[in-house]
Amino acid sequence: MTPQDRKDLFKRGAIWAFILVELAFFSIVGDAISVSDKAFMNVDNMLLLLKQSAPIGIIALGMTIIMINGNIDLSVGATFALAAIVLLDSMTWPFMQSLGNWAIPLAWVFALLTGVALGAINGLIVWKTGVDAFIVTLASMLGFRGLVFMYNGEQPTSHLNWTLVDFAEAQFLGLHTATWFLLGTVLILWLVMTKTVHGRNAYAIGNNREAAVNAGIRVGPHFLLNFMLIGFLAALSAVVFYSESGSVNPNDGMLYELWAITAVVLGGTKLAGGYGSIISTLGGVIAIQLLRKGLGHIGADTQTVNLVIGLILIAVLILDRQLNRKGQEELKI
Amino acid sequence: MSDQTPVLRLEGIVKTFPGVRALDGVSFSVLPGEVHALMGENGAGKSTLMKVLGGIHAPNEGQIFIAEEPTVMTSPMQAKAKGVVFIHQELSLADELSVAENIFLGELPLKGLGRVDWAKLYADTDAILQTLNVGFDARTRVGDLSIANQQMVEIGRALTVDPRAVIFDEPTASLTDAEKVVLFEVIADLQSRGVGIVYISHRMEEIFKITDRISVLRDGQYRGTLNTAETDEDEVTQLMIGRSLDLSRNESHHQMGDIALEVRGLGCGSLFQDVSFAVRKGEVLGFYGLVGAGRTEIAETIFGLRTPSAGQILLDGQEVHISSPIDALRLGISLVPEDRKSQGLVLSMNCRDNMTLPQVDDLTAGPFVSDGAEVAIFDQYRDKLDIRTPGWRQIVGNLSGGNQQKIVIGKWLSMRPEVLIVDEPTRGIDVGSKSEIHNLIRDLAAQGFAVIVISSEMPEVLHVSDRIVAMHSGRVMREFTSDEVTEDNLIQAISGITEKIA
């Protein structure tokens, strides 16, 4: 094993080691101060944790690809909300109601297509204008959220379909439906990023766009495809979540983009592009969810949880920088 | 002059980077009121030496003395406080700020409560500008000044302290002749005030006009100091180039094939105009000229990175239109770019993935990239080019410059191009790898590739080329065969002197 391999293994393993530390910490501390009768590490609790990770998790996986590609997408929270509205509202349309339970897959398709279309808008603007993705998606975040409010004002959009609820609450081999969606997404995106031409090119473009252009890679279409992909995933996240809850508030999904980015960065993906891994993002997602649940378990309130997550994120990034400094050649600031 | 105390003296400076001994025991001294030229080819270690002097790199061995006082340099700011200031080739000015703010950047005069003392700032700046004898004032926005005047602002920065030594790094690179005269006056003025000047330049003419002594670096080693009045260009060139590297003239005359690439009257705006040349299969065509002569831009135009404003490109006698690198690659034209790190490599990727990047589309099995096909290509070119790496998983950013360059060359060779353009094939590469790459280029030609080599190093161009195109400010001045070219007529051609050639 070369030093390079060791370093790689260490970097990939870091997030999972962190998860183990969290598990140990909350089990021991939870036991010691015994605010709750239940053990933290029980199977039901962990299965629930995975299920609860799914909505942000699916978005974070898409964000990983966007960030590896050297972009960012701030509009995913609004896309999530708009896809949710389409999902629930479309089932109340007269022709859909006549279809019985066939309305469900059709409503899913409508919602997912909404996500893809919104992603395509972002991707086309970034490609064709060359404006930075941060600015483009900041604008589309505001715009898409505007559409959410135009749809139903301040009112929630609701439609409960019991077949759908049953499906969403089902467990297969112990895992909830949402968890299966999360794991399926992980598998497919991992294959895309490690085994396909598109994945390879996404890394190349993110690390050195000029070298990618010189190698004859068409940068714009890759951007477009990735934005459509994250739009699709934001909608998929909405489909998974709202199949069960059946009601969407116009403010739902706010800050999801930031939680997704937090999980991605915690997993070691670089904001600057070119580096990152799907599996590590899954680690980042689980780590954050563990932190929330664990801090709740030992009696901390929401504000404390956010404070701690913020502190941990900064600590992780400082540590990462120390470990990865390339000699003394960097500019001192 | 020898009884004077040197303002600046370096002794036995050694600086190593992983795999490279960038400076190997460099010593020299600058006397007050002296203009001391520092010369050497690209990669000889001049810029590393300057970084050591400015405290950006700490030397592994050796000592810096300022006025015979041993000093450890920690930062450019500290060097400046000690009276050693740098005028860089690349201007580092804030365009949106005034001349005064730029000159006193980081040390604005203050009055109570952290407020800037604007009156004092402008008065002090105008005093400095007075000594520089320039035609603009302290309140001018720097972005509105010409390049030459911006350079004056850089020099003004040096004068906010009482400098002992001023180091000019290629100061005339972007100046016109008239502007140079003004610069030389400023240097003479500094000289008369007893300041020691280090003057880094490639331009012999200037060196012999304004300097007192010349120190030469080659491959990181100090090669000696000459009194300008007692030497000539030949002796300096000899010291700079040396003969440690086999750069004998190209004498091979193997069989050449048909014309592979021909360019007729090609132009691209103001970058270059009316460029015509042809390169045959089995031939190495060298492009030589000063930085900014338009050589790289021609290569970029042929490769589809720039849109030509005039002229034709013919491949195998057929006119072709190349609007992007994708077109160029499809037609069999590959470009090894000038700067391998910023244009050629994805530094975070491993060796294999970098090498197969342009053709990974064609290496798929079903939806996935075929590992086996990729490794096969990597292995083939690793052996062919003798790339030294622990394995294909090695991240390219961790390889030495020579091996990185071979990865880039391998990347393009594996595309089986008909025409291979190599821009600055050995920039920043150590001597051993240089000759390997030179041999490689000759071999490729012998195998029937048409190769275009762009280089700023004359020995390299003379060594590898069958024919040489000399360029000067965007125009082809003359084309030489390897029989008729001499260092003299080549220098004259790239300096724009053609009248003598009847």
Side-chain angles (χ1 to χ4, degrees):
Chain A
M1 191 185 260
T2 67
Q4 177 70 39
D5 291 342
R6 253 201 303 281
K7 203 172 151 191
D8 282 356
L9 195 70
F10 178 74
K11 273 168 81 173
R12 275 200 302 268
I15 187 70
W16 302 102
F18 180 61
I19 288 173
L20 289 180
V21 170
E22 283 183 81
L23 283 172
F25 178 82
F26 291 124
S27 302
I28 294 164
V29 174
D31 250 9
I33 60 176
S34 60
V35 276
S36 157
D37 302 335
K38 283 167 72 181
F40 183 62
M41 282 241 284
N42 86 15
V43 174
D44 284 345
N45 206 19
M46 290 299 121
L47 288 177
L48 194 60
L49 180 137
L50 283 174
K51 178 186 176 182
Q52 289 163 340
S53 303
I56 298 275
I58 292 172
I59 295 175
L61 294 167
M63 192 70 83
T64 311
I65 298 183
I66 290 282
M67 282 168 63
I68 286 171
N69 208 188
N71 287 317
I72 200 151
D73 188 348
L74 300 178
S75 70
V76 283
T79 304
F80 172 87
L82 202 55
I85 289 178
V86 170
L87 173 79
L88 297 182
D89 197 56
S90 68
M91 285 190 283
T92 65
W93 297 343
F95 87 91
M96 293 280 278
Q97 286 187 316
S98 66
L99 294 174
N101 278 340
W102 285 109
I104 294 173
L106 206 55
W108 285 16
V109 169
F110 288 150
L112 294 172
L113 284 180
T114 304
V116 171
L118 298 180
I121 292 172
N122 284 330
L124 278 173
I125 295 173
V126 171
W127 175 10
K128 294 298 180 189
T129 66
V131 177
D132 199 276
F134 185 93
I135 305 297
V136 171
T137 60
L138 182 68
S140 61
M141 173 182 87
L142 298 172
F144 296 166
R145 186 62 70 179
L147 291 177
V148 170
F149 277 97
M150 282 162 71
Y151 206 92
N152 224 352
E154 301 281 344
Q155 301 303 312
T157 307
S158 305
H159 178 79
L160 214 49
N161 179 318
W162 289 107
T163 317
L164 200 51
V165 174
D166 286 343
F167 172 78
E169 289 185 341
Q171 281 173 279
F172 177 66
L173 297 178
L175 300 178
H176 296 91
T177 307
T179 309
W180 282 111
F181 274 96
L182 176 65
L183 296 180
T185 307
V186 168
L187 178 68
I188 293 169
L189 294 186
W190 176 76
L191 286 171
V192 167
M193 292 312 282
T194 58
K195 305 283 179 199
T196 70
V197 174
H198 175 68
R200 178 77 57 85
N201 288 350
Y203 278 101
I205 293 166
N207 185 254
N208 191 343
R209 196 189 294 194
E210 205 176 339
V213 169
N214 281 333
I217 294 171
R218 294 175 203 268
V219 171
H222 284 291
F223 280 177
L224 176 61
L225 193 57
N226 284 331
F227 275 105
M228 286 165 70
L229 186 62
I230 196 173
F232 175 87
L233 291 170
L236 183 67
S237 171
V239 164
V240 168
F241 188 75
Y242 290 100
S243 291
E244 185 170 5
S245 92
S247 178
V248 53
N249 275 305
N251 279 320
D252 282 5
M254 273 196 182
L255 297 185
Y256 272 30
E257 54 282 344
L258 298 186
W259 284 113
I261 294 168
T262 306
V264 174
V265 171
L266 202 58
T269 297
K270 298 259 187 298
L271 206 55
Y275 296 87
S277 123
I278 292 291
I279 308 287
S280 296
T281 293
L282 178 65
V285 169
I286 292 175
I288 288 182
Q289 194 60 33
L290 255 178
L291 214 51
R292 288 188 187 202
K293 251 187 131 53
L295 289 169
H297 180 71
I298 62 174
D301 54 19
T302 320
Q303 291 90 319
T304 319
V305 173
N306 286 349
L307 176 66
V308 171
I309 293 178
L311 289 173
I312 285 181
L313 189 65
I314 288 180
V316 165
L317 294 181
I318 291 172
L319 195 67
D320 179 65
R321 215 179 132 67
Q322 294 302 319
L323 292 174
N324 288 317
R325 242 207 329 218
K326 296 236 175 204
Q328 253 58 63
E329 289 186 38
E330 270 182 60
L331 273 182
K332 281 177 247 172
I333 51 170
Chain B
M1 284 206 293
S2 55
D3 53 335
Q4 287 175 292
T5 313
V7 287
L8 180 66
R9 186 161 72 85
L10 281 79
E11 203 172 290
I13 301 287
V14 174
K15 176 69 196 171
T16 57
F17 296 109
V20 190
R21 208 168 167 85
L23 291 175
D24 192 359
V26 174
S27 308
F28 81 106
S29 60
V30 186
L31 301 172
E34 169 188 48
V35 180
H36 194 130
L38 185 62
M39 297 195 75
E41 286 196 286
N42 290 330
K46 288 169 304 190
S47 42
T48 311
L49 188 63
M50 290 307 109
K51 283 180 180 166
V52 167
L53 205 47
I56 294 167
H57 293 324
N60 300 76
E61 287 170 40
Q63 183 76 55
I64 300 168
F65 299 88
I66 294 175
E68 287 305 298
E69 189 85 23
T71 311
V72 176
M73 297 293 191
T74 54
S75 72
M77 285 309 280
Q78 184 241 14
K80 186 174 181 183
K82 300 266 183 197
V84 178
V85 282
F86 295 84
I87 314 290
H88 291 287
Q89 178 182 7
E90 308 278 329
L91 299 169
S92 54
L93 298 170
D95 279 354
E96 296 298 329
L97 297 184
S98 69
V99 168
E101 287 164 289
N102 268 287
I103 285 184
F104 283 93
L105 199 65
E107 45 198 7
L108 294 174
L110 298 181
K111 47 190 180 180
L113 301 173
R115 290 167 304 151
V116 173
D117 188 346
W118 293 103
K120 179 168 163 45
L121 174 67
Y122 289 131
D124 288 356
T125 306
D126 279 328
I128 290 172
L129 295 179
Q130 199 97 52
T131 69
L132 292 173
N133 197 14
V134 291
F136 56 87
D137 74 8
R139 294 163 193 265
T140 315
R141 184 178 157 271
V142 161
D144 294 335
L145 295 174
S146 68
I147 298 292
N149 280 333
Q150 291 187 4
Q151 187 120 35
M152 288 297 160
V153 175
E154 283 274 359
I155 294 172
R157 265 186 187 176
L159 302 180
T160 60
V161 292
D162 213 2
R164 294 176 204 265
V166 181
I167 293 133
F168 288 89
D169 187 1
E170 296 272 4
T172 55
S174 45
L175 299 188
T176 64
D177 287 341
E179 291 165 343
K180 281 179 200 171
V181 172
V182 178
L183 176 72
F184 294 156
E185 279 169 11
V186 170
I187 289 177
D189 181 54
L190 286 170
Q191 223 179 333
S192 67
R193 286 154 57 183
V195 178
I197 311 279
V198 177
Y199 192 85
I200 301 174
S201 176
H202 282 108
R203 299 178 197 224
M204 290 283 185
E205 190 193 312
E206 293 169 13
I207 297 283
F208 279 88
K209 192 166 164 190
I210 68 164
T211 69
D212 300 306
R213 289 195 296 165
I214 301 170
S215 285
V216 177
L217 293 182
R218 187 207 314 158
D219 301 332
Q221 290 173 341
Y222 170 70
R223 284 286 147 185
T225 301
L226 306 165
N227 280 324
T228 310
E230 298 160 10
T231 184
D232 56 19
E233 297 188 11
D234 275 349
E235 193 180 0
V236 175
T237 310
Q238 189 81 18
L239 271 185
M240 271 169 62
I241 298 169
R243 290 300 162 202
S244 62
L245 180 61
D246 170 28
L247 288 174
S248 53
R249 298 280 287 277
N250 172 33
E251 305 286 351
S252 70
H253 290 285
H254 57 265
Q255 199 61 42
M256 285 182 201
D258 299 336
I259 290 176
L261 174 77
E262 187 178 353
V263 165
R264 288 186 195 153
L266 196 67
C268 183
S270 62
L271 295 169
F272 59 88
Q273 301 87 34
D274 197 21
V275 169
S276 301
F277 63 87
V279 55
R280 292 176 177 279
K281 289 171 186 163
E283 181 181 40
V284 179
L285 180 66
F287 269 80
Y288 187 67
L290 293 171
V291 172
R295 297 163 303 161
T296 297
E297 290 76 7
I298 292 173
E300 288 172 347
T301 307
I302 295 172
F303 193 59
L305 289 165
R306 294 179 188 273
T307 309
S309 51
Q312 296 171 293
I313 300 172
L314 293 87
L315 209 60
D316 294 326
Q318 300 283 313
E319 184 172 4
V320 291
H321 294 280
I322 301 169
S323 60
S324 72
I326 299 165
D327 291 347
L329 291 169
R330 205 184 50 234
L331 291 164
I333 301 172
S334 286
L335 170 67
V336 175
E338 188 175 13
D339 184 339
R340 65 181 162 273
K341 285 194 180 176
S342 75
Q343 302 167 314
L345 291 167
V346 181
L347 290 172
S348 63
M349 272 189 175
N350 64 43
C351 296
R352 182 198 70 181
D353 293 3
N354 262 288
M355 200 180 270
T356 56
L357 196 60
Q359 54 175 322
V360 70
D361 269 331
D362 303 324
L363 301 176
T364 51
F368 301 137
V369 179
S370 158
D371 254 11
E374 281 194 286
V375 174
I377 288 180
F378 175 76
D379 284 346
Q380 185 189 347
Y381 285 90
R382 182 194 55 199
D383 297 345
K384 197 168 189 169
L385 307 181
D386 191 24
I387 299 169
R388 267 152 271 167
T389 156
W392 63 260
R393 287 187 180 80
Q394 180 71 23
I395 301 298
V396 159
N398 299 337
L399 295 180
S400 72
N403 281 312
Q404 285 184 349
Q405 187 72 331
K406 288 183 191 172
I407 296 263
V408 183
I409 293 176
K411 172 165 84 170
W412 297 118
L413 282 186
S414 67
M415 297 291 287
R416 301 171 191 287
E418 202 178 328
V419 180
L420 181 67
I421 308 172
V422 192
D423 195 354
E424 299 290 358
T426 61
R427 174 170 291 175
I429 287 177
D430 61 277
V431 182
S433 308
K434 268 190 186 183
S435 59
E436 281 183 37
I437 287 179
H438 292 157
N439 293 339
L440 181 66
I441 289 171
R442 293 296 326 160
D443 281 353
L444 292 174
Q447 289 165 33
F449 290 99
V451 186
I452 296 175
V453 171
I454 300 168
S455 176
S456 303
E457 296 180 37
M458 191 190 297
E460 177 168 282
V461 168
L462 293 172
H463 179 58
V464 301
S465 312
D466 295 305
R467 276 185 304 133
I468 297 172
V469 174
M471 290 200 61
H472 173 74
S473 56
R475 288 180 185 280
V476 171
M477 299 311 285
R478 199 182 157 189
E479 204 178 292
F480 299 91
T481 65
S482 60
D483 298 326
E484 63 194 9
V485 67
T486 65
E487 299 195 8
D488 274 351
N489 61 22
L490 195 51
I491 289 259
Q492 283 174 351
I494 66 154
S495 318
I497 310 165
T498 46
E499 295 73 23
K500 292 183 199 164
I501 307 158

